[in-house]
Amino acid sequence: MEFVKTTIHFQNSTKSMTLHVPAFLFRAWPVLRVLMLVGVVLFIIQMAATTIYSGILNHQISNRLELDKEMAQIQGTMDYLKNTSSDFLRDENRLYARFGLPTQDEATRCLSTGGNISPDSLLLRNSSPVFERMSVLSETAGRLTNMIANNDASFRNLNKYMEQKQSMWRFVPSIAPTQGRYASSFGPRIHPITGQVGKMHQGIDISNERWTPIFAPADGVVEIAQHSSSFGNFVTLNHGNGLKTRYGHMQMYIVHPGEFVSRYQVIGYMGNTGLSVGPHLHYEVWMGNNPVNPLAYMLPNDHSID
């Protein structure tokens, strides 16, 4: 092997050292310098890539945790909406039952959503739990949207039905026309003045002090307001649909024929006019051409009678 003699002198000293180095090292030194430089560059690149990768990875993990948190919040909101929709359905069914309408089954509200899933979407869902969870949330949101829309449409229809019913109920007698003591019932009786036995009493009598207010039991139009030899000061209200109410022995009426009156409106005052043995109101309810028991048209606790 060929050697090269080289001498190393120490600075500020008379000492030196002679070395015999193989000649090929001197010839390979430029190559070694290049390799060392490339190694340093590659090390720097690796460190930079590792740092960047760690930063990106941490950022992605942070985003994933934030996404999981948001999806958990969305899932909680959907669970709340689902429970609320179930409560709405129960309340709706109570209202339907209250009005004698057929109720709906909850299963009919859970309408299906979506359609065929493409192979690419199916592969993406199977390969990524995030996309799978997002797909489930999307399907759940679609079902909730359908349920809420169905509930909204149903409540709108029910509200329209209730408004129609309410407009009808306004014209149906539902309260006692005055306060007082229940004096005489509906049906055959002995007439208190003529003494006739089995005389049909076509209404009920409510007695109280003179000038006790008399109220309209429902909306209607004054058909008759006049003096009668038997009923004294006498009023008839026409409530439509064949329903009429009559009021006799009034001290005074304060309405006139053709006037529209509302429920709870004072139409006159109790008196003792006509064939009467004391201050009271004779009250009749007619359906078509037949008198019916007025007690069937009195709800409790509103101008109640004893």
Side-chain angles (χ1 to χ4, degrees), residues 105-141:
D105 183 68
E106 186 172 1
T108 61
R109 299 298 180 89
C110 299
L111 304 177
S112 59
T113 59
N116 295 329
I117 303 177
S118 66
D120 293 339
S121 299
L122 185 61
L123 178 62
L124 188 60
R125 290 178 57 171
N126 292 334
S127 61
S128 174
V130 174
F131 282 102
E132 172 66 20
R133 189 173 181 184
M134 289 295 292
S135 299
V136 172
L137 288 176
S138 177
E139 293 171 0
T140 304

Side-chain angles (χ1 to χ4, degrees), residues 175-234:
I175 63 172
T178 189
Q179 293 178 321
R181 181 177 60 85
Y182 185 56
S184 185
S185 62
F186 175 84
R189 67 168 186 172
I190 300 176
H191 197 281
I193 294 180
T194 64
Q196 183 179 356
V197 179
K199 174 72 173 179
M200 179 63 183
H201 190 225
Q202 297 178 335
I204 61 172
D205 292 340
I206 305 171
S207 63
N208 206 332
E209 296 180 357
R210 199 187 304 265
W211 297 105
T212 299
I214 299 171
F215 305 91
D219 291 6
V221 176
V222 179
E223 189 173 86
I224 299 174
Q226 64 184 27
H227 183 79
S228 165
S229 59
S230 57
F231 284 112
N233 291 325
F234 176 70

Side-chain angles (χ1 to χ4, degrees), residues 214 230-235 246-251 269-271 273 280-284:
I214 299 171
S230 57
F231 284 112
N233 291 325
F234 176 70
V235 170
R246 299 179 176 180
Y247 312 82
H249 310 300
M250 302 170 71
Q251 182 68 25
Y269 299 93
M270 189 181 298
T273 59
H280 74 284
L281 170 67
H282 174 78
Y283 176 54
E284 298 179 1

Side-chain angles (χ1 to χ4, degrees), residues 74-202:
I74 294 173
Q75 184 65 55
T77 302
M78 288 186 176
D79 292 340
Y80 170 77
L81 291 175
K82 183 178 180 181
N83 294 332
T84 303
S85 297
S86 298
D87 293 339
F88 284 161
L89 179 62
R90 284 193 295 270
D91 294 339
E92 180 185 338
N93 282 338
R94 291 192 186 101
L95 289 174
Y96 270 78
R98 171 65 180 81
F99 293 104
L101 300 174
T103 58
Q104 297 193 43
D105 183 68
E106 186 172 1
T108 61
R109 299 298 180 89
C110 299
L111 304 177
S112 59
T113 59
N116 295 329
I117 303 177
S118 66
D120 293 339
S121 299
L122 185 61
L123 178 62
L124 188 60
R125 290 178 57 171
N126 292 334
S127 61
S128 174
V130 174
F131 282 102
E132 172 66 20
R133 189 173 181 184
M134 289 295 292
S135 299
V136 172
L137 288 176
S138 177
E139 293 171 0
T140 304
R143 285 194 296 269
L144 285 174
T145 300
N146 288 335
M147 289 178 63
I148 293 173
N150 199 323
N151 277 343
D152 181 67
S154 180
F155 269 112
R156 288 179 183 273
N157 292 333
L158 183 59
N159 183 63
K160 186 180 298 183
Y161 177 82
M162 292 171 62
E163 288 177 350
Q164 293 174 348
K165 282 292 185 182
Q166 186 177 15
S167 65
M168 294 174 57
W169 291 336
R170 289 176 50 201
F171 296 91
V172 177
S174 61
I175 63 172
T178 189
Q179 293 178 321
R181 181 177 60 85
Y182 185 56
S184 185
S185 62
F186 175 84
R189 67 168 186 172
I190 300 176
H191 197 281
I193 294 180
T194 64
Q196 183 179 356
V197 179
K199 174 72 173 179
M200 179 63 183
H201 190 225
Q202 297 178 335

